[in-house]
Amino acid sequence: MEVQGRIKMIGETQTFGSNGFRKREIVVTTEEQYPQHIMVEFVQDKTDLLNNYQAGQQVKININLRGREWVNPQGETKYFNSIQGWRIEALQSESAAGNVPPVPPADAFEPAGDLKEEDHDDLPF
């Protein structure tokens, strides 16, 4: 699965516990009719993948959905989900594509008014 959008925020790497578990979070805002702010976490050695990115960049992140079960001290079972990233790549913005000339709007062309029904074209198809 993947998430595409513009980076809103990249957090600092956090370290937890005596075994040195590392986690780093990134928030990507999707660009659709109803934009979503999706938080994706990168863990362990994958936290370094975010070093070359910054807020405002367009990216595609490959993700895995993770879920886990936890029983609290009162014996109630709770469920948690997380979105874990494992690859990130920059996307070219449309303005950076550069070599493609812009298409003029349709109303930039004047319609031909001197056509007659009896005029036939000589196109071979």
Short mmCIF file of all heavy atoms in Angstrom, two decimals, residues 36-105:
data_model
loop_
_atom_site.label_atom_id
_atom_site.label_comp_id
_atom_site.label_asym_id
_atom_site.label_seq_id
_atom_site.Cartn_x
_atom_site.Cartn_y
_atom_site.Cartn_z
N GLN A 36 -6.56 14.65 3.79
CA GLN A 36 -6.37 13.93 5.05
C GLN A 36 -4.94 14.13 5.52
O GLN A 36 -4.02 14.14 4.72
CB GLN A 36 -6.64 12.43 4.85
CG GLN A 36 -8.02 12.10 4.33
CD GLN A 36 -9.10 12.47 5.30
OE1 GLN A 36 -9.06 12.07 6.47
NE2 GLN A 36 -10.07 13.24 4.86
N HIS A 37 -4.78 14.27 6.83
CA HIS A 37 -3.44 14.39 7.43
C HIS A 37 -3.11 13.01 7.99
O HIS A 37 -3.63 12.61 9.02
CB HIS A 37 -3.43 15.45 8.53
CG HIS A 37 -3.91 16.79 8.05
ND1 HIS A 37 -3.17 17.60 7.22
CD2 HIS A 37 -5.08 17.44 8.26
CE1 HIS A 37 -3.85 18.69 6.95
NE2 HIS A 37 -5.02 18.62 7.56
N ILE A 38 -2.24 12.29 7.28
CA ILE A 38 -1.92 10.91 7.63
C ILE A 38 -0.56 10.86 8.34
O ILE A 38 0.45 11.29 7.78
CB ILE A 38 -1.86 10.02 6.36
CG1 ILE A 38 -3.12 10.17 5.51
CG2 ILE A 38 -1.59 8.57 6.72
CD1 ILE A 38 -4.38 9.66 6.14
N MET A 39 -0.56 10.33 9.57
CA MET A 39 0.68 10.18 10.32
C MET A 39 1.23 8.78 10.04
O MET A 39 0.54 7.78 10.18
CB MET A 39 0.43 10.36 11.81
CG MET A 39 1.70 10.58 12.62
SD MET A 39 2.53 9.08 13.13
CE MET A 39 1.35 8.38 14.23
N VAL A 40 2.48 8.73 9.60
CA VAL A 40 3.16 7.47 9.29
C VAL A 40 4.39 7.41 10.18
O VAL A 40 5.11 8.39 10.33
CB VAL A 40 3.57 7.42 7.79
CG1 VAL A 40 4.29 6.12 7.48
CG2 VAL A 40 2.36 7.60 6.89
N GLU A 41 4.63 6.25 10.77
CA GLU A 41 5.83 6.10 11.60
C GLU A 41 6.86 5.22 10.90
O GLU A 41 6.52 4.25 10.24
CB GLU A 41 5.48 5.54 12.98
CG GLU A 41 4.84 4.18 12.97
CD GLU A 41 4.42 3.71 14.36
OE1 GLU A 41 4.14 4.56 15.23
OE2 GLU A 41 4.40 2.49 14.57
N PHE A 42 8.10 5.64 11.02
CA PHE A 42 9.24 4.85 10.54
C PHE A 42 9.97 4.37 11.78
O PHE A 42 10.18 5.17 12.71
CB PHE A 42 10.15 5.71 9.66
CG PHE A 42 9.61 5.95 8.27
CD1 PHE A 42 8.58 6.85 8.08
CD2 PHE A 42 10.14 5.28 7.18
CE1 PHE A 42 8.07 7.08 6.80
CE2 PHE A 42 9.64 5.50 5.90
CZ PHE A 42 8.60 6.41 5.71
N VAL A 43 10.37 3.10 11.83
CA VAL A 43 11.00 2.56 13.02
C VAL A 43 12.40 2.00 12.73
O VAL A 43 12.72 1.68 11.59
CB VAL A 43 10.13 1.46 13.69
CG1 VAL A 43 8.80 2.05 14.15
CG2 VAL A 43 9.90 0.29 12.76
N GLN A 44 13.18 1.92 13.80
CA GLN A 44 14.54 1.39 13.79
C GLN A 44 15.39 2.05 12.70
O GLN A 44 15.43 3.25 12.62
CB GLN A 44 14.52 -0.14 13.67
CG GLN A 44 13.81 -0.83 14.83
CD GLN A 44 14.43 -0.57 16.19
OE1 GLN A 44 14.34 0.51 16.73
NE2 GLN A 44 15.06 -1.59 16.76
N ASP A 45 16.05 1.27 11.85
CA ASP A 45 16.96 1.85 10.84
C ASP A 45 16.21 2.63 9.76
O ASP A 45 16.81 3.42 9.04
CB ASP A 45 17.83 0.76 10.22
CG ASP A 45 17.04 -0.32 9.51
OD1 ASP A 45 15.88 -0.59 9.92
OD2 ASP A 45 17.56 -0.90 8.54
N LYS A 46 14.90 2.46 9.65
CA LYS A 46 14.11 3.19 8.64
C LYS A 46 13.93 4.67 9.02
O LYS A 46 13.56 5.48 8.17
CB LYS A 46 12.74 2.55 8.45
CG LYS A 46 12.79 1.10 8.01
CD LYS A 46 13.35 0.94 6.63
CE LYS A 46 13.28 -0.51 6.18
NZ LYS A 46 14.08 -0.80 5.02
N THR A 47 14.21 5.04 10.27
CA THR A 47 14.08 6.45 10.67
C THR A 47 15.01 7.34 9.87
O THR A 47 14.70 8.50 9.60
CB THR A 47 14.36 6.65 12.18
OG1 THR A 47 15.70 6.22 12.46
CG2 THR A 47 13.38 5.88 13.04
N ASP A 48 16.16 6.80 9.45
CA ASP A 48 17.14 7.59 8.69
C ASP A 48 16.66 7.92 7.28
O ASP A 48 17.19 8.83 6.65
CB ASP A 48 18.47 6.83 8.61
CG ASP A 48 19.11 6.66 9.98
OD1 ASP A 48 18.83 7.49 10.87
OD2 ASP A 48 19.89 5.70 10.15
N LEU A 49 15.65 7.21 6.78
CA LEU A 49 15.13 7.48 5.44
C LEU A 49 14.54 8.89 5.34
O LEU A 49 14.46 9.45 4.26
CB LEU A 49 14.06 6.46 5.06
CG LEU A 49 14.51 5.01 4.90
CD1 LEU A 49 13.31 4.11 4.62
CD2 LEU A 49 15.55 4.89 3.79
N LEU A 50 14.15 9.46 6.47
CA LEU A 50 13.50 10.78 6.45
C LEU A 50 14.49 11.94 6.49
O LEU A 50 14.08 13.09 6.36
CB LEU A 50 12.53 10.89 7.64
CG LEU A 50 11.42 9.84 7.68
CD1 LEU A 50 10.55 10.04 8.91
CD2 LEU A 50 10.60 9.87 6.41
N ASN A 51 15.78 11.66 6.64
CA ASN A 51 16.78 12.71 6.79
C ASN A 51 16.85 13.69 5.63
O ASN A 51 17.16 14.85 5.81
CB ASN A 51 18.18 12.11 7.02
CG ASN A 51 18.30 11.45 8.37
OD1 ASN A 51 17.48 11.66 9.26
ND2 ASN A 51 19.31 10.63 8.53
N ASN A 52 16.57 13.24 4.41
CA ASN A 52 16.74 14.08 3.23
C ASN A 52 15.43 14.74 2.77
O ASN A 52 15.35 15.22 1.65
CB ASN A 52 17.34 13.27 2.08
CG ASN A 52 18.73 12.78 2.43
OD1 ASN A 52 19.50 13.47 3.08
ND2 ASN A 52 19.03 11.56 2.02
N TYR A 53 14.41 14.74 3.62
CA TYR A 53 13.12 15.31 3.25
C TYR A 53 12.78 16.47 4.17
O TYR A 53 13.29 16.57 5.28
CB TYR A 53 12.03 14.23 3.32
CG TYR A 53 12.24 13.16 2.27
CD1 TYR A 53 12.99 12.02 2.54
CD2 TYR A 53 11.73 13.32 0.99
CE1 TYR A 53 13.21 11.06 1.56
CE2 TYR A 53 11.94 12.37 0.01
CZ TYR A 53 12.68 11.25 0.31
OH TYR A 53 12.90 10.31 -0.66
N GLN A 54 11.89 17.34 3.67
CA GLN A 54 11.48 18.50 4.47
C GLN A 54 10.02 18.83 4.18
O GLN A 54 9.47 18.40 3.16
CB GLN A 54 12.38 19.69 4.19
CG GLN A 54 12.38 20.13 2.74
CD GLN A 54 13.48 21.13 2.46
OE1 GLN A 54 14.35 21.37 3.28
NE2 GLN A 54 13.43 21.73 1.29
N ALA A 55 9.43 19.61 5.05
CA ALA A 55 8.03 20.02 4.90
C ALA A 55 7.83 20.71 3.56
O ALA A 55 8.69 21.45 3.09
CB ALA A 55 7.64 20.95 6.04
N GLY A 56 6.70 20.42 2.92
CA GLY A 56 6.37 21.02 1.64
C GLY A 56 6.65 20.13 0.45
O GLY A 56 6.11 20.36 -0.63
N GLN A 57 7.49 19.11 0.61
CA GLN A 57 7.82 18.23 -0.51
C GLN A 57 6.68 17.26 -0.80
O GLN A 57 5.99 16.80 0.10
CB GLN A 57 9.07 17.40 -0.20
CG GLN A 57 10.36 18.10 -0.43
CD GLN A 57 11.53 17.15 -0.23
OE1 GLN A 57 11.85 16.78 0.89
NE2 GLN A 57 12.14 16.73 -1.33
N GLN A 58 6.51 16.94 -2.09
CA GLN A 58 5.57 15.92 -2.54
C GLN A 58 6.27 14.57 -2.43
O GLN A 58 7.38 14.42 -2.94
CB GLN A 58 5.19 16.15 -4.00
CG GLN A 58 4.31 17.33 -4.21
CD GLN A 58 2.84 16.93 -4.19
OE1 GLN A 58 2.45 16.02 -3.48
NE2 GLN A 58 2.05 17.62 -4.95
N VAL A 59 5.61 13.59 -1.78
CA VAL A 59 6.23 12.28 -1.60
C VAL A 59 5.23 11.16 -1.80
O VAL A 59 4.02 11.35 -1.74
CB VAL A 59 6.88 12.14 -0.20
CG1 VAL A 59 8.06 13.06 -0.03
CG2 VAL A 59 5.86 12.34 0.90
N LYS A 60 5.80 9.98 -2.03
CA LYS A 60 5.04 8.73 -2.02
C LYS A 60 5.70 7.85 -0.97
O LYS A 60 6.92 7.65 -1.00
CB LYS A 60 5.08 8.06 -3.39
CG LYS A 60 4.36 6.71 -3.40
CD LYS A 60 4.23 6.14 -4.79
CE LYS A 60 5.54 5.60 -5.28
NZ LYS A 60 5.42 4.86 -6.55
N ILE A 61 4.91 7.34 -0.04
CA ILE A 61 5.43 6.49 1.04
C ILE A 61 4.79 5.12 0.92
O ILE A 61 3.56 5.00 0.87
CB ILE A 61 5.10 7.09 2.43
CG1 ILE A 61 5.70 8.49 2.56
CG2 ILE A 61 5.61 6.18 3.53
CD1 ILE A 61 5.33 9.19 3.85
N ASN A 62 5.62 4.08 0.87
CA ASN A 62 5.12 2.71 0.91
C ASN A 62 4.90 2.35 2.37
O ASN A 62 5.77 2.58 3.22
CB ASN A 62 6.12 1.76 0.27
CG ASN A 62 6.24 2.02 -1.22
OD1 ASN A 62 7.06 2.83 -1.64
ND2 ASN A 62 5.43 1.36 -2.00
N ILE A 63 3.73 1.78 2.66
CA ILE A 63 3.33 1.54 4.05
C ILE A 63 2.85 0.11 4.28
O ILE A 63 2.46 -0.59 3.33
CB ILE A 63 2.22 2.51 4.49
CG1 ILE A 63 0.96 2.30 3.62
CG2 ILE A 63 2.69 3.94 4.46
CD1 ILE A 63 -0.28 2.99 4.14
N ASN A 64 2.87 -0.28 5.53
CA ASN A 64 2.21 -1.49 6.02
C ASN A 64 1.29 -1.08 7.14
O ASN A 64 1.64 -0.21 7.95
CB ASN A 64 3.22 -2.50 6.56
CG ASN A 64 4.07 -3.11 5.47
OD1 ASN A 64 3.61 -3.34 4.36
ND2 ASN A 64 5.33 -3.37 5.79
N LEU A 65 0.10 -1.67 7.21
CA LEU A 65 -0.80 -1.45 8.33
C LEU A 65 -0.45 -2.46 9.41
O LEU A 65 -0.28 -3.64 9.13
CB LEU A 65 -2.26 -1.63 7.91
CG LEU A 65 -2.79 -0.63 6.91
CD1 LEU A 65 -4.23 -0.97 6.54
CD2 LEU A 65 -2.70 0.78 7.44
N ARG A 66 -0.35 -1.98 10.63
CA ARG A 66 -0.02 -2.85 11.77
C ARG A 66 -1.14 -2.74 12.80
O ARG A 66 -1.69 -1.66 13.02
CB ARG A 66 1.30 -2.41 12.43
CG ARG A 66 2.49 -2.50 11.51
CD ARG A 66 2.91 -3.93 11.39
NE ARG A 66 4.14 -4.02 10.62
CZ ARG A 66 4.36 -4.97 9.74
NH1 ARG A 66 3.46 -5.89 9.50
NH2 ARG A 66 5.49 -5.00 9.08
N GLY A 67 -1.46 -3.84 13.44
CA GLY A 67 -2.47 -3.86 14.49
C GLY A 67 -1.99 -4.73 15.64
O GLY A 67 -1.27 -5.69 15.43
N ARG A 68 -2.40 -4.34 16.86
CA ARG A 68 -2.02 -5.18 17.99
C ARG A 68 -3.11 -5.15 19.06
O ARG A 68 -3.91 -4.23 19.13
CB ARG A 68 -0.67 -4.77 18.56
CG ARG A 68 -0.60 -3.46 19.25
CD ARG A 68 0.81 -3.22 19.81
NE ARG A 68 0.81 -2.11 20.72
CZ ARG A 68 0.88 -0.85 20.36
NH1 ARG A 68 0.99 -0.52 19.09
NH2 ARG A 68 0.86 0.11 21.27
N GLU A 69 -3.07 -6.16 19.85
CA GLU A 69 -4.04 -6.33 20.93
C GLU A 69 -3.33 -6.09 22.26
O GLU A 69 -2.17 -6.46 22.44
CB GLU A 69 -4.56 -7.77 20.87
CG GLU A 69 -5.58 -8.12 21.89
CD GLU A 69 -6.03 -9.57 21.73
OE1 GLU A 69 -5.34 -10.45 22.29
OE2 GLU A 69 -7.02 -9.80 21.03
N TRP A 70 -4.02 -5.44 23.21
CA TRP A 70 -3.45 -5.18 24.52
C TRP A 70 -4.53 -5.36 25.57
O TRP A 70 -5.67 -4.92 25.39
CB TRP A 70 -2.91 -3.75 24.57
CG TRP A 70 -2.39 -3.32 25.91
CD1 TRP A 70 -1.27 -3.76 26.54
CD2 TRP A 70 -2.96 -2.33 26.77
NE1 TRP A 70 -1.11 -3.11 27.74
CE2 TRP A 70 -2.14 -2.22 27.90
CE3 TRP A 70 -4.10 -1.53 26.70
CZ2 TRP A 70 -2.41 -1.36 28.96
CZ3 TRP A 70 -4.37 -0.66 27.75
CH2 TRP A 70 -3.53 -0.58 28.86
N VAL A 71 -4.20 -6.05 26.65
CA VAL A 71 -5.14 -6.24 27.75
C VAL A 71 -4.68 -5.35 28.89
O VAL A 71 -3.56 -5.47 29.39
CB VAL A 71 -5.18 -7.73 28.20
CG1 VAL A 71 -6.15 -7.90 29.36
CG2 VAL A 71 -5.56 -8.63 27.03
N ASN A 72 -5.57 -4.41 29.30
CA ASN A 72 -5.20 -3.47 30.36
C ASN A 72 -5.28 -4.14 31.72
O ASN A 72 -5.76 -5.28 31.84
CB ASN A 72 -6.05 -2.19 30.26
CG ASN A 72 -7.50 -2.40 30.63
OD1 ASN A 72 -7.89 -3.41 31.20
ND2 ASN A 72 -8.34 -1.43 30.28
N PRO A 73 -4.82 -3.48 32.77
CA PRO A 73 -4.82 -4.09 34.11
C PRO A 73 -6.21 -4.50 34.61
O PRO A 73 -6.33 -5.37 35.48
CB PRO A 73 -4.21 -3.01 35.01
CG PRO A 73 -3.38 -2.18 34.07
CD PRO A 73 -4.10 -2.21 32.77
N GLN A 74 -7.25 -3.90 34.09
CA GLN A 74 -8.62 -4.27 34.49
C GLN A 74 -9.15 -5.47 33.70
O GLN A 74 -10.28 -5.89 33.89
CB GLN A 74 -9.58 -3.08 34.30
CG GLN A 74 -9.33 -1.91 35.21
CD GLN A 74 -8.14 -1.06 34.77
OE1 GLN A 74 -7.84 -0.95 33.58
NE2 GLN A 74 -7.44 -0.49 35.74
N GLY A 75 -8.34 -6.01 32.80
CA GLY A 75 -8.73 -7.18 32.02
C GLY A 75 -9.47 -6.86 30.73
O GLY A 75 -9.90 -7.78 30.04
N GLU A 76 -9.59 -5.58 30.38
CA GLU A 76 -10.27 -5.20 29.14
C GLU A 76 -9.29 -5.29 27.97
O GLU A 76 -8.15 -4.86 28.09
CB GLU A 76 -10.80 -3.77 29.23
CG GLU A 76 -11.79 -3.55 30.35
CD GLU A 76 -12.07 -2.07 30.57
OE1 GLU A 76 -11.14 -1.24 30.45
OE2 GLU A 76 -13.23 -1.75 30.86
N THR A 77 -9.76 -5.83 26.87
CA THR A 77 -8.92 -5.95 25.68
C THR A 77 -9.10 -4.72 24.81
O THR A 77 -10.22 -4.30 24.53
CB THR A 77 -9.30 -7.21 24.89
OG1 THR A 77 -9.15 -8.35 25.75
CG2 THR A 77 -8.41 -7.38 23.67
N LYS A 78 -7.99 -4.13 24.42
CA LYS A 78 -7.99 -2.95 23.54
C LYS A 78 -7.21 -3.29 22.28
O LYS A 78 -6.30 -4.12 22.29
CB LYS A 78 -7.30 -1.75 24.22
CG LYS A 78 -7.87 -1.38 25.57
CD LYS A 78 -9.10 -0.56 25.42
CE LYS A 78 -9.59 -0.13 26.80
NZ LYS A 78 -10.70 0.76 26.74
N TYR A 79 -7.55 -2.60 21.18
CA TYR A 79 -6.88 -2.81 19.90
C TYR A 79 -6.33 -1.49 19.39
O TYR A 79 -6.98 -0.45 19.50
CB TYR A 79 -7.85 -3.41 18.88
CG TYR A 79 -8.32 -4.77 19.30
CD1 TYR A 79 -9.48 -4.92 20.05
CD2 TYR A 79 -7.58 -5.91 18.99
CE1 TYR A 79 -9.90 -6.17 20.46
CE2 TYR A 79 -7.99 -7.16 19.40
CZ TYR A 79 -9.15 -7.28 20.14
OH TYR A 79 -9.55 -8.52 20.56
N PHE A 80 -5.13 -1.53 18.83
CA PHE A 80 -4.46 -0.34 18.32
C PHE A 80 -3.96 -0.62 16.91
O PHE A 80 -3.51 -1.72 16.60
CB PHE A 80 -3.26 0.03 19.21
CG PHE A 80 -3.66 0.37 20.62
CD1 PHE A 80 -3.68 -0.60 21.60
CD2 PHE A 80 -4.03 1.67 20.94
CE1 PHE A 80 -4.06 -0.28 22.89
CE2 PHE A 80 -4.41 1.99 22.22
CZ PHE A 80 -4.43 1.01 23.21
N ASN A 81 -4.05 0.41 16.08
CA ASN A 81 -3.54 0.33 14.70
C ASN A 81 -2.43 1.35 14.52
O ASN A 81 -2.44 2.40 15.15
CB ASN A 81 -4.65 0.64 13.69
CG ASN A 81 -5.76 -0.37 13.75
OD1 ASN A 81 -5.52 -1.56 13.89
ND2 ASN A 81 -6.99 0.09 13.66
N SER A 82 -1.52 1.06 13.62
CA SER A 82 -0.50 2.03 13.24
C SER A 82 -0.20 1.87 11.76
O SER A 82 -0.45 0.82 11.16
CB SER A 82 0.78 1.86 14.08
OG SER A 82 1.35 0.60 13.86
N ILE A 83 0.32 2.94 11.18
CA ILE A 83 0.73 2.93 9.78
C ILE A 83 2.24 3.04 9.78
O ILE A 83 2.79 4.03 10.28
CB ILE A 83 0.10 4.11 9.02
CG1 ILE A 83 -1.43 4.05 9.10
CG2 ILE A 83 0.57 4.12 7.57
CD1 ILE A 83 -2.12 5.28 8.56
N GLN A 84 2.90 2.02 9.28
CA GLN A 84 4.36 1.97 9.34
C GLN A 84 4.95 2.10 7.94
O GLN A 84 4.62 1.34 7.04
CB GLN A 84 4.77 0.65 9.97
CG GLN A 84 6.12 0.69 10.62
CD GLN A 84 6.32 -0.56 11.45
OE1 GLN A 84 6.68 -1.59 10.90
NE2 GLN A 84 6.09 -0.46 12.74
N GLY A 85 5.80 3.10 7.75
CA GLY A 85 6.45 3.32 6.46
C GLY A 85 7.72 2.50 6.34
O GLY A 85 8.41 2.26 7.32
N TRP A 86 8.02 2.06 5.12
CA TRP A 86 9.26 1.31 4.89
C TRP A 86 10.04 1.83 3.70
O TRP A 86 11.17 1.47 3.47
CB TRP A 86 8.99 -0.18 4.77
CG TRP A 86 7.96 -0.57 3.76
CD1 TRP A 86 6.61 -0.64 3.95
CD2 TRP A 86 8.18 -0.96 2.40
NE1 TRP A 86 5.97 -1.05 2.79
CE2 TRP A 86 6.93 -1.25 1.81
CE3 TRP A 86 9.32 -1.09 1.62
CZ2 TRP A 86 6.79 -1.66 0.50
CZ3 TRP A 86 9.18 -1.50 0.30
CH2 TRP A 86 7.92 -1.78 -0.23
N ARG A 87 9.42 2.75 2.90
CA ARG A 87 10.15 3.39 1.81
C ARG A 87 9.47 4.73 1.53
O ARG A 87 8.26 4.86 1.65
CB ARG A 87 10.12 2.53 0.55
CG ARG A 87 10.90 3.20 -0.60
CD ARG A 87 11.13 2.30 -1.79
NE ARG A 87 9.86 1.82 -2.35
CZ ARG A 87 9.77 0.82 -3.22
NH1 ARG A 87 10.85 0.19 -3.62
NH2 ARG A 87 8.61 0.45 -3.70
N ILE A 88 10.28 5.73 1.14
CA ILE A 88 9.76 7.04 0.80
C ILE A 88 10.51 7.54 -0.42
O ILE A 88 11.71 7.30 -0.55
CB ILE A 88 9.89 8.04 1.99
CG1 ILE A 88 9.29 9.40 1.62
CG2 ILE A 88 11.32 8.15 2.47
CD1 ILE A 88 9.18 10.36 2.82
N GLU A 89 9.78 8.19 -1.33
CA GLU A 89 10.44 8.77 -2.51
C GLU A 89 9.78 10.10 -2.84
O GLU A 89 8.58 10.28 -2.64
CB GLU A 89 10.41 7.82 -3.70
CG GLU A 89 9.04 7.46 -4.20
CD GLU A 89 9.09 6.45 -5.34
OE1 GLU A 89 9.26 6.87 -6.50
OE2 GLU A 89 8.98 5.24 -5.05
N ALA A 90 10.60 11.02 -3.33
CA ALA A 90 10.10 12.34 -3.72
C ALA A 90 9.39 12.22 -5.06
O ALA A 90 9.80 11.45 -5.93
CB ALA A 90 11.27 13.32 -3.84
N LEU A 91 8.31 12.97 -5.19
CA LEU A 91 7.59 13.04 -6.46
C LEU A 91 7.88 14.39 -7.09
O LEU A 91 8.00 15.39 -6.39
CB LEU A 91 6.08 12.91 -6.24
CG LEU A 91 5.61 11.58 -5.67
CD1 LEU A 91 4.11 11.63 -5.44
CD2 LEU A 91 5.94 10.45 -6.63
N GLN A 92 7.96 14.43 -8.40
CA GLN A 92 8.15 15.70 -9.08
C GLN A 92 6.86 16.49 -9.01
O GLN A 92 5.79 15.94 -9.25
CB GLN A 92 8.47 15.46 -10.56
CG GLN A 92 9.91 15.30 -10.87
CD GLN A 92 10.10 15.46 -12.39
OE1 GLN A 92 9.35 15.93 -13.05
NE2 GLN A 92 11.13 15.04 -12.94
N SER A 93 6.95 17.74 -8.69
CA SER A 93 5.76 18.57 -8.76
C SER A 93 5.47 18.85 -10.21
O SER A 93 6.35 18.80 -11.06
CB SER A 93 5.96 19.87 -7.97
OG SER A 93 6.94 20.65 -8.60
N GLU A 94 4.22 19.18 -10.51
CA GLU A 94 3.84 19.38 -11.91
C GLU A 94 4.57 20.57 -12.52
O GLU A 94 4.87 20.59 -13.69
CB GLU A 94 2.33 19.57 -12.00
CG GLU A 94 1.61 18.27 -11.69
CD GLU A 94 0.13 18.45 -11.51
OE1 GLU A 94 -0.42 19.43 -12.03
OE2 GLU A 94 -0.47 17.60 -10.86
N SER A 95 4.90 21.57 -11.72
CA SER A 95 5.61 22.73 -12.26
C SER A 95 7.07 22.38 -12.56
O SER A 95 7.71 23.02 -13.37
CB SER A 95 5.54 23.90 -11.29
OG SER A 95 6.16 23.54 -10.07
N ALA A 96 7.58 21.32 -11.92
CA ALA A 96 8.97 20.93 -12.17
C ALA A 96 9.10 20.07 -13.43
O ALA A 96 10.18 19.82 -13.90
CB ALA A 96 9.51 20.17 -10.96
N ALA A 97 7.96 19.60 -13.95
CA ALA A 97 8.02 18.79 -15.16
C ALA A 97 8.62 19.58 -16.31
O ALA A 97 9.31 19.04 -17.16
CB ALA A 97 6.64 18.26 -15.51
N GLY A 98 8.33 20.88 -16.34
CA GLY A 98 9.03 21.84 -17.17
C GLY A 98 8.96 21.71 -18.67
O GLY A 98 8.62 22.66 -19.34
N ASN A 99 9.30 20.58 -19.24
CA ASN A 99 9.45 20.47 -20.69
C ASN A 99 8.13 20.42 -21.44
O ASN A 99 8.12 20.54 -22.65
CB ASN A 99 10.27 19.22 -21.03
CG ASN A 99 11.66 19.30 -20.46
OD1 ASN A 99 12.10 20.36 -20.03
ND2 ASN A 99 12.34 18.18 -20.42
N VAL A 100 7.02 20.23 -20.76
CA VAL A 100 5.73 20.13 -21.42
C VAL A 100 5.12 21.52 -21.51
O VAL A 100 4.90 22.16 -20.50
CB VAL A 100 4.79 19.19 -20.63
CG1 VAL A 100 3.45 19.08 -21.30
CG2 VAL A 100 5.44 17.83 -20.46
N PRO A 101 4.86 22.01 -22.73
CA PRO A 101 4.28 23.35 -22.84
C PRO A 101 2.84 23.36 -22.32
O PRO A 101 2.15 22.35 -22.42
CB PRO A 101 4.32 23.64 -24.34
CG PRO A 101 4.38 22.30 -24.99
CD PRO A 101 5.08 21.39 -24.01
N PRO A 102 2.40 24.46 -21.75
CA PRO A 102 1.03 24.51 -21.24
C PRO A 102 0.02 24.46 -22.39
O PRO A 102 0.30 24.94 -23.48
CB PRO A 102 0.96 25.85 -20.52
CG PRO A 102 2.06 26.66 -21.12
CD PRO A 102 3.12 25.69 -21.54
N VAL A 103 -1.12 23.84 -22.15
CA VAL A 103 -2.17 23.76 -23.15
C VAL A 103 -3.03 25.00 -23.03
O VAL A 103 -3.50 25.33 -21.95
CB VAL A 103 -3.02 22.49 -22.92
CG1 VAL A 103 -4.18 22.43 -23.90
CG2 VAL A 103 -2.16 21.25 -23.01
N PRO A 104 -3.24 25.74 -24.15
CA PRO A 104 -4.07 26.94 -24.06
C PRO A 104 -5.52 26.57 -23.78
O PRO A 104 -5.97 25.49 -24.17
CB PRO A 104 -3.91 27.60 -25.44
CG PRO A 104 -3.44 26.51 -26.33
CD PRO A 104 -2.72 25.52 -25.48
N PRO A 105 -6.25 27.44 -23.12
CA PRO A 105 -7.66 27.14 -22.84
C PRO A 105 -8.45 27.06 -24.15
O PRO A 105 -8.10 27.68 -25.15
CB PRO A 105 -8.13 28.31 -21.98
CG PRO A 105 -7.11 29.39 -22.20
CD PRO A 105 -5.82 28.71 -22.59
#
